[in-house]
mmCIF file of all heavy atoms in Angstrom:
data_model
loop_
_atom_site.group_PDB
_atom_site.id
_atom_site.type_symbol
_atom_site.label_atom_id
_atom_site.label_comp_id
_atom_site.label_asym_id
_atom_site.label_seq_id
_atom_site.Cartn_x
_atom_site.Cartn_y
_atom_site.Cartn_z
ATOM 1 N N VAL A 183 114.356 -50.247 -61.129
ATOM 2 C CA VAL A 183 114.324 -51.660 -60.772
ATOM 3 C C VAL A 183 115.641 -52.313 -61.122
ATOM 4 O O VAL A 183 116.214 -51.970 -62.195
ATOM 5 C CB VAL A 183 113.180 -52.380 -61.520
ATOM 6 C CG1 VAL A 183 113.215 -53.898 -61.260
ATOM 7 C CG2 VAL A 183 111.786 -51.839 -61.110
ATOM 8 N N ALA A 184 116.136 -53.174 -60.237
ATOM 9 C CA ALA A 184 117.413 -53.889 -60.520
ATOM 10 C C ALA A 184 117.221 -55.322 -60.032
ATOM 11 O O ALA A 184 116.409 -55.613 -59.154
ATOM 12 C CB ALA A 184 118.574 -53.197 -59.833
ATOM 13 N N VAL A 185 118.021 -56.238 -60.615
ATOM 14 C CA VAL A 185 118.099 -57.634 -60.255
ATOM 15 C C VAL A 185 119.473 -57.985 -59.831
ATOM 16 O O VAL A 185 120.427 -57.672 -60.531
ATOM 17 C CB VAL A 185 117.600 -58.559 -61.372
ATOM 18 C CG1 VAL A 185 117.578 -60.009 -60.878
ATOM 19 C CG2 VAL A 185 116.185 -58.173 -61.824
ATOM 20 N N ILE A 186 119.637 -58.644 -58.679
ATOM 21 C CA ILE A 186 120.899 -59.096 -58.176
ATOM 22 C C ILE A 186 120.890 -60.598 -58.077
ATOM 23 O O ILE A 186 119.846 -61.198 -57.795
ATOM 24 C CB ILE A 186 121.174 -58.490 -56.758
ATOM 25 C CG1 ILE A 186 121.229 -56.957 -56.861
ATOM 26 C CG2 ILE A 186 122.475 -58.995 -56.164
ATOM 27 C CD1 ILE A 186 121.334 -56.314 -55.463
ATOM 28 N N LYS A 187 122.039 -61.190 -58.260
ATOM 29 C CA LYS A 187 122.163 -62.657 -58.147
ATOM 30 C C LYS A 187 123.254 -62.963 -57.082
ATOM 31 O O LYS A 187 124.334 -62.354 -57.112
ATOM 32 C CB LYS A 187 122.561 -63.251 -59.476
ATOM 33 C CG LYS A 187 122.771 -64.809 -59.419
ATOM 34 C CD LYS A 187 121.497 -65.541 -59.218
ATOM 35 C CE LYS A 187 121.647 -67.046 -59.460
ATOM 36 N NZ LYS A 187 122.549 -67.680 -58.488
ATOM 37 N N ILE A 188 122.938 -63.884 -56.169
ATOM 38 C CA ILE A 188 123.974 -64.347 -55.237
ATOM 39 C C ILE A 188 124.133 -65.887 -55.405
ATOM 40 O O ILE A 188 123.245 -66.541 -55.911
ATOM 41 C CB ILE A 188 123.618 -64.036 -53.775
ATOM 42 C CG1 ILE A 188 122.289 -64.708 -53.344
ATOM 43 C CG2 ILE A 188 123.496 -62.533 -53.569
ATOM 44 C CD1 ILE A 188 121.944 -64.573 -51.902
ATOM 45 N N ASP A 189 125.308 -66.368 -55.068
ATOM 46 C CA ASP A 189 125.622 -67.763 -55.238
ATOM 47 C C ASP A 189 125.101 -68.534 -54.002
ATOM 48 O O ASP A 189 125.843 -68.754 -53.050
ATOM 49 C CB ASP A 189 127.110 -67.952 -55.404
ATOM 50 C CG ASP A 189 127.468 -69.393 -55.777
ATOM 51 O OD1 ASP A 189 126.536 -70.167 -56.076
ATOM 52 O OD2 ASP A 189 128.686 -69.713 -55.738
ATOM 53 N N ALA A 190 123.830 -68.876 -54.022
ATOM 54 C CA ALA A 190 123.206 -69.603 -52.905
ATOM 55 C C ALA A 190 122.069 -70.423 -53.397
ATOM 56 O O ALA A 190 121.564 -70.201 -54.509
ATOM 57 C CB ALA A 190 122.740 -68.577 -51.867
ATOM 58 N N ASN A 191 121.677 -71.420 -52.612
ATOM 59 C CA ASN A 191 120.585 -72.283 -52.942
ATOM 60 C C ASN A 191 119.637 -72.461 -51.789
ATOM 61 O O ASN A 191 119.957 -72.146 -50.632
ATOM 62 C CB ASN A 191 121.101 -73.675 -53.440
ATOM 63 C CG ASN A 191 121.874 -73.536 -54.744
ATOM 64 O OD1 ASN A 191 121.284 -73.193 -55.794
ATOM 65 N ND2 ASN A 191 123.158 -73.847 -54.702
ATOM 66 N N ASN A 192 118.440 -72.960 -52.111
ATOM 67 C CA ASN A 192 117.450 -73.275 -51.078
ATOM 68 C C ASN A 192 117.118 -72.059 -50.215
ATOM 69 O O ASN A 192 116.906 -72.188 -48.997
ATOM 70 C CB ASN A 192 117.908 -74.440 -50.177
ATOM 71 C CG ASN A 192 118.186 -75.695 -50.975
ATOM 72 O OD1 ASN A 192 117.453 -76.076 -51.839
ATOM 73 N ND2 ASN A 192 119.271 -76.379 -50.675
ATOM 74 N N LEU A 193 117.068 -70.901 -50.859
ATOM 75 C CA LEU A 193 116.700 -69.676 -50.134
ATOM 76 C C LEU A 193 115.200 -69.585 -49.986
ATOM 77 O O LEU A 193 114.409 -70.016 -50.835
ATOM 78 C CB LEU A 193 117.239 -68.458 -50.854
ATOM 79 C CG LEU A 193 118.735 -68.354 -51.002
ATOM 80 C CD1 LEU A 193 119.109 -67.091 -51.768
ATOM 81 C CD2 LEU A 193 119.418 -68.353 -49.619
ATOM 82 N N GLN A 194 114.794 -68.950 -48.893
ATOM 83 C CA GLN A 194 113.355 -68.648 -48.736
ATOM 84 C C GLN A 194 112.982 -67.550 -49.735
ATOM 85 O O GLN A 194 113.731 -66.588 -49.935
ATOM 86 C CB GLN A 194 113.054 -68.146 -47.314
ATOM 87 C CG GLN A 194 111.606 -67.857 -47.055
ATOM 88 C CD GLN A 194 111.305 -67.363 -45.655
ATOM 89 O OE1 GLN A 194 112.182 -67.413 -44.752
ATOM 90 N NE2 GLN A 194 110.046 -66.958 -45.396
ATOM 91 N N THR A 195 111.825 -67.691 -50.336
ATOM 92 C CA THR A 195 111.385 -66.714 -51.310
ATOM 93 C C THR A 195 110.061 -66.065 -50.861
ATOM 94 O O THR A 195 109.400 -66.567 -49.938
ATOM 95 C CB THR A 195 111.150 -67.336 -52.682
ATOM 96 O OG1 THR A 195 110.129 -68.347 -52.608
ATOM 97 C CG2 THR A 195 112.463 -67.987 -53.187
ATOM 98 N N VAL A 196 109.710 -65.003 -51.484
ATOM 99 C CA VAL A 196 108.473 -64.304 -51.168
ATOM 100 C C VAL A 196 107.553 -64.377 -52.379
ATOM 101 O O VAL A 196 108.022 -64.163 -53.533
ATOM 102 C CB VAL A 196 108.742 -62.865 -50.717
ATOM 103 C CG1 VAL A 196 109.418 -62.061 -51.858
ATOM 104 C CG2 VAL A 196 107.477 -62.140 -50.292
ATOM 105 N N PRO A 197 106.305 -64.686 -52.201
ATOM 106 C CA PRO A 197 105.390 -64.745 -53.390
ATOM 107 C C PRO A 197 105.027 -63.356 -53.880
ATOM 108 O O PRO A 197 104.958 -62.427 -53.125
ATOM 109 C CB PRO A 197 104.131 -65.469 -52.834
ATOM 110 C CG PRO A 197 104.181 -65.169 -51.359
ATOM 111 C CD PRO A 197 105.639 -65.091 -50.936
ATOM 112 N N LEU A 198 104.817 -63.273 -55.191
ATOM 113 C CA LEU A 198 104.465 -61.987 -55.803
ATOM 114 C C LEU A 198 102.942 -61.952 -56.030
ATOM 115 O O LEU A 198 102.349 -62.945 -56.479
ATOM 116 C CB LEU A 198 105.161 -61.801 -57.106
ATOM 117 C CG LEU A 198 106.719 -61.904 -57.112
ATOM 118 C CD1 LEU A 198 107.286 -61.645 -58.478
ATOM 119 C CD2 LEU A 198 107.305 -60.988 -56.062
ATOM 120 N N GLY A 199 102.322 -60.858 -55.685
ATOM 121 C CA GLY A 199 100.883 -60.670 -55.854
ATOM 122 C C GLY A 199 100.529 -59.953 -57.142
ATOM 123 O O GLY A 199 101.299 -59.918 -58.102
ATOM 124 N N ASN A 200 99.363 -59.327 -57.146
ATOM 125 C CA ASN A 200 98.857 -58.580 -58.302
ATOM 126 C C ASN A 200 98.549 -57.194 -57.824
ATOM 127 O O ASN A 200 97.706 -56.982 -56.945
ATOM 128 C CB ASN A 200 97.620 -59.317 -58.883
ATOM 129 C CG ASN A 200 97.012 -58.536 -60.043
ATOM 130 O OD1 ASN A 200 97.652 -57.655 -60.595
ATOM 131 N ND2 ASN A 200 95.821 -58.923 -60.411
ATOM 132 N N SER A 201 99.203 -56.189 -58.445
ATOM 133 C CA SER A 201 99.002 -54.798 -58.056
ATOM 134 C C SER A 201 97.929 -54.093 -58.860
ATOM 135 O O SER A 201 97.620 -52.934 -58.591
ATOM 136 C CB SER A 201 100.314 -54.024 -58.166
ATOM 137 O OG SER A 201 100.848 -54.150 -59.446
ATOM 138 N N GLU A 202 97.334 -54.754 -59.828
ATOM 139 C CA GLU A 202 96.322 -54.144 -60.658
ATOM 140 C C GLU A 202 94.999 -53.867 -59.925
ATOM 141 O O GLU A 202 94.347 -52.894 -60.220
ATOM 142 C CB GLU A 202 96.063 -55.014 -61.898
ATOM 143 C CG GLU A 202 97.177 -55.007 -62.933
ATOM 144 C CD GLU A 202 97.394 -53.624 -63.542
ATOM 145 O OE1 GLU A 202 96.407 -52.909 -63.737
ATOM 146 O OE2 GLU A 202 98.583 -53.293 -63.751
ATOM 147 N N ALA A 203 94.656 -54.743 -59.053
ATOM 148 C CA ALA A 203 93.331 -54.646 -58.393
ATOM 149 C C ALA A 203 93.385 -54.024 -57.004
ATOM 150 O O ALA A 203 92.391 -54.069 -56.275
ATOM 151 C CB ALA A 203 92.724 -56.029 -58.274
ATOM 152 N N LEU A 204 94.436 -53.390 -56.655
ATOM 153 C CA LEU A 204 94.524 -52.759 -55.331
ATOM 154 C C LEU A 204 93.611 -51.574 -55.157
ATOM 155 O O LEU A 204 93.334 -50.824 -56.133
ATOM 156 C CB LEU A 204 95.999 -52.272 -55.084
ATOM 157 C CG LEU A 204 97.049 -53.356 -55.010
ATOM 158 C CD1 LEU A 204 98.453 -52.730 -54.918
ATOM 159 C CD2 LEU A 204 96.782 -54.261 -53.809
ATOM 160 N N GLN A 205 93.085 -51.405 -53.955
ATOM 161 C CA GLN A 205 92.153 -50.317 -53.648
ATOM 162 C C GLN A 205 92.682 -49.552 -52.453
ATOM 163 O O GLN A 205 93.256 -50.139 -51.556
ATOM 164 C CB GLN A 205 90.767 -50.934 -53.305
ATOM 165 C CG GLN A 205 90.113 -51.641 -54.423
ATOM 166 C CD GLN A 205 89.702 -50.744 -55.558
ATOM 167 O OE1 GLN A 205 89.334 -49.573 -55.346
ATOM 168 N NE2 GLN A 205 89.724 -51.228 -56.804
ATOM 169 N N PRO A 206 92.523 -48.205 -52.460
ATOM 170 C CA PRO A 206 92.903 -47.450 -51.297
ATOM 171 C C PRO A 206 92.187 -47.939 -50.015
ATOM 172 O O PRO A 206 90.997 -48.274 -50.090
ATOM 173 C CB PRO A 206 92.430 -46.010 -51.665
ATOM 174 C CG PRO A 206 92.478 -45.961 -53.126
ATOM 175 C CD PRO A 206 92.078 -47.362 -53.589
ATOM 176 N N GLY A 207 92.936 -48.073 -48.968
ATOM 177 C CA GLY A 207 92.411 -48.546 -47.718
ATOM 178 C C GLY A 207 92.831 -50.003 -47.362
ATOM 179 O O GLY A 207 92.690 -50.409 -46.241
ATOM 180 N N GLU A 208 93.349 -50.735 -48.367
ATOM 181 C CA GLU A 208 93.832 -52.067 -48.106
ATOM 182 C C GLU A 208 95.018 -52.046 -47.168
ATOM 183 O O GLU A 208 95.910 -51.176 -47.284
ATOM 184 C CB GLU A 208 94.199 -52.782 -49.385
ATOM 185 C CG GLU A 208 92.998 -53.095 -50.283
ATOM 186 C CD GLU A 208 93.374 -53.998 -51.467
ATOM 187 O OE1 GLU A 208 94.214 -54.872 -51.243
ATOM 188 O OE2 GLU A 208 92.811 -53.788 -52.539
ATOM 189 N N ALA A 209 95.057 -53.013 -46.265
ATOM 190 C CA ALA A 209 96.190 -53.129 -45.311
ATOM 191 C C ALA A 209 97.453 -53.561 -46.008
ATOM 192 O O ALA A 209 97.418 -54.419 -46.898
ATOM 193 C CB ALA A 209 95.799 -54.102 -44.234
ATOM 194 N N VAL A 210 98.558 -52.965 -45.682
ATOM 195 C CA VAL A 210 99.897 -53.320 -46.211
ATOM 196 C C VAL A 210 100.948 -53.336 -45.150
ATOM 197 O O VAL A 210 100.793 -52.735 -44.089
ATOM 198 C CB VAL A 210 100.320 -52.354 -47.375
ATOM 199 C CG1 VAL A 210 99.483 -52.561 -48.617
ATOM 200 C CG2 VAL A 210 100.294 -50.910 -46.869
ATOM 201 N N ILE A 211 102.021 -54.028 -45.392
ATOM 202 C CA ILE A 211 103.108 -54.231 -44.503
ATOM 203 C C ILE A 211 104.421 -53.960 -45.232
ATOM 204 O O ILE A 211 104.590 -54.452 -46.372
ATOM 205 C CB ILE A 211 103.126 -55.653 -43.897
ATOM 206 C CG1 ILE A 211 101.817 -55.956 -43.239
ATOM 207 C CG2 ILE A 211 104.299 -55.897 -42.938
ATOM 208 C CD1 ILE A 211 101.497 -57.450 -43.190
ATOM 209 N N ALA A 212 105.346 -53.183 -44.605
ATOM 210 C CA ALA A 212 106.634 -52.940 -45.210
ATOM 211 C C ALA A 212 107.682 -53.574 -44.332
ATOM 212 O O ALA A 212 107.660 -53.490 -43.085
ATOM 213 C CB ALA A 212 106.909 -51.452 -45.291
ATOM 214 N N ILE A 213 108.640 -54.287 -44.969
ATOM 215 C CA ILE A 213 109.763 -54.867 -44.283
ATOM 216 C C ILE A 213 111.041 -54.368 -44.949
ATOM 217 O O ILE A 213 111.151 -54.388 -46.151
ATOM 218 C CB ILE A 213 109.742 -56.412 -44.282
ATOM 219 C CG1 ILE A 213 108.399 -56.911 -43.766
ATOM 220 C CG2 ILE A 213 110.855 -56.990 -43.438
ATOM 221 C CD1 ILE A 213 108.272 -58.435 -43.763
ATOM 222 N N GLY A 214 112.015 -53.972 -44.136
ATOM 223 C CA GLY A 214 113.259 -53.508 -44.713
ATOM 224 C C GLY A 214 114.273 -53.149 -43.643
ATOM 225 O O GLY A 214 114.166 -53.573 -42.500
ATOM 226 N N ASN A 215 115.213 -52.318 -44.062
ATOM 227 C CA ASN A 215 116.355 -51.963 -43.181
ATOM 228 C C ASN A 215 116.514 -50.435 -43.097
ATOM 229 O O ASN A 215 117.558 -49.877 -43.479
ATOM 230 C CB ASN A 215 117.627 -52.610 -43.697
ATOM 231 C CG ASN A 215 117.438 -54.061 -43.965
ATOM 232 O OD1 ASN A 215 117.250 -54.874 -43.049
ATOM 233 N ND2 ASN A 215 117.488 -54.474 -45.202
ATOM 234 N N PRO A 216 115.478 -49.734 -42.592
ATOM 235 C CA PRO A 216 115.578 -48.252 -42.578
ATOM 236 C C PRO A 216 116.655 -47.784 -41.613
ATOM 237 O O PRO A 216 116.748 -48.246 -40.492
ATOM 238 C CB PRO A 216 114.166 -47.839 -42.093
ATOM 239 C CG PRO A 216 113.710 -49.033 -41.275
ATOM 240 C CD PRO A 216 114.254 -50.188 -41.987
ATOM 241 N N LEU A 217 117.443 -46.816 -42.076
ATOM 242 C CA LEU A 217 118.493 -46.217 -41.275
ATOM 243 C C LEU A 217 119.410 -47.215 -40.612
ATOM 244 O O LEU A 217 119.911 -47.022 -39.514
ATOM 245 C CB LEU A 217 117.850 -45.300 -40.180
ATOM 246 C CG LEU A 217 116.900 -44.211 -40.753
ATOM 247 C CD1 LEU A 217 116.214 -43.489 -39.635
ATOM 248 C CD2 LEU A 217 117.666 -43.210 -41.593
ATOM 249 N N GLY A 218 119.619 -48.355 -41.306
ATOM 250 C CA GLY A 218 120.504 -49.359 -40.785
ATOM 251 C C GLY A 218 119.899 -50.266 -39.761
ATOM 252 O O GLY A 218 120.611 -51.119 -39.196
ATOM 253 N N LEU A 219 118.621 -50.119 -39.457
ATOM 254 C CA LEU A 219 117.953 -50.936 -38.445
ATOM 255 C C LEU A 219 117.364 -52.142 -39.158
ATOM 256 O O LEU A 219 116.279 -52.107 -39.695
ATOM 257 C CB LEU A 219 116.885 -50.121 -37.742
ATOM 258 C CG LEU A 219 117.404 -48.890 -37.002
ATOM 259 C CD1 LEU A 219 116.254 -48.048 -36.442
ATOM 260 C CD2 LEU A 219 118.370 -49.267 -35.908
ATOM 261 N N ASN A 220 118.114 -53.253 -39.187
ATOM 262 C CA ASN A 220 117.703 -54.438 -39.946
ATOM 263 C C ASN A 220 116.365 -55.012 -39.530
ATOM 264 O O ASN A 220 116.023 -54.990 -38.314
ATOM 265 C CB ASN A 220 118.824 -55.465 -39.877
ATOM 266 C CG ASN A 220 120.087 -55.039 -40.579
ATOM 267 O OD1 ASN A 220 120.140 -54.032 -41.243
ATOM 268 N ND2 ASN A 220 121.154 -55.792 -40.349
ATOM 269 N N ASN A 221 115.716 -55.611 -40.490
ATOM 270 C CA ASN A 221 114.466 -56.376 -40.224
ATOM 271 C C ASN A 221 113.413 -55.578 -39.482
ATOM 272 O O ASN A 221 112.765 -56.077 -38.578
ATOM 273 C CB ASN A 221 114.799 -57.650 -39.471
ATOM 274 C CG ASN A 221 115.943 -58.449 -40.073
ATOM 275 O OD1 ASN A 221 116.978 -58.670 -39.433
ATOM 276 N ND2 ASN A 221 115.804 -58.845 -41.330
ATOM 277 N N THR A 222 113.215 -54.333 -39.929
ATOM 278 C CA THR A 222 112.195 -53.512 -39.383
ATOM 279 C C THR A 222 110.869 -53.742 -40.067
ATOM 280 O O THR A 222 110.810 -53.780 -41.290
ATOM 281 C CB THR A 222 112.610 -52.014 -39.467
ATOM 282 O OG1 THR A 222 113.747 -51.811 -38.657
ATOM 283 C CG2 THR A 222 111.486 -51.106 -38.974
ATOM 284 N N VAL A 223 109.794 -53.837 -39.271
ATOM 285 C CA VAL A 223 108.476 -54.084 -39.828
ATOM 286 C C VAL A 223 107.537 -52.902 -39.460
ATOM 287 O O VAL A 223 107.514 -52.424 -38.317
ATOM 288 C CB VAL A 223 107.843 -55.338 -39.195
ATOM 289 C CG1 VAL A 223 106.435 -55.580 -39.784
ATOM 290 C CG2 VAL A 223 108.730 -56.548 -39.495
ATOM 291 N N THR A 224 106.862 -52.375 -40.457
ATOM 292 C CA THR A 224 105.880 -51.317 -40.235
ATOM 293 C C THR A 224 104.628 -51.704 -41.031
ATOM 294 O O THR A 224 104.664 -52.534 -41.958
ATOM 295 C CB THR A 224 106.350 -49.940 -40.733
ATOM 296 O OG1 THR A 224 106.715 -49.993 -42.080
ATOM 297 C CG2 THR A 224 107.555 -49.501 -39.879
#
Side-chain angles (χ1 to χ4, degrees):
V183 174
V185 182
I186 299 173
K187 178 71 168 65
I188 61 175
D189 187 11
N191 292 297
N192 301 318
L193 297 179
Q194 181 180 353
T195 62
V196 61
L198 305 183
N200 179 13
S201 54
E202 287 297 323
L204 293 174
Q205 297 291 328
E208 290 189 38
V210 290
I211 302 154
I213 306 178
N215 310 292
L217 303 173
L219 301 173
N220 293 350
N221 310 121
T222 295
V223 179
T224 57

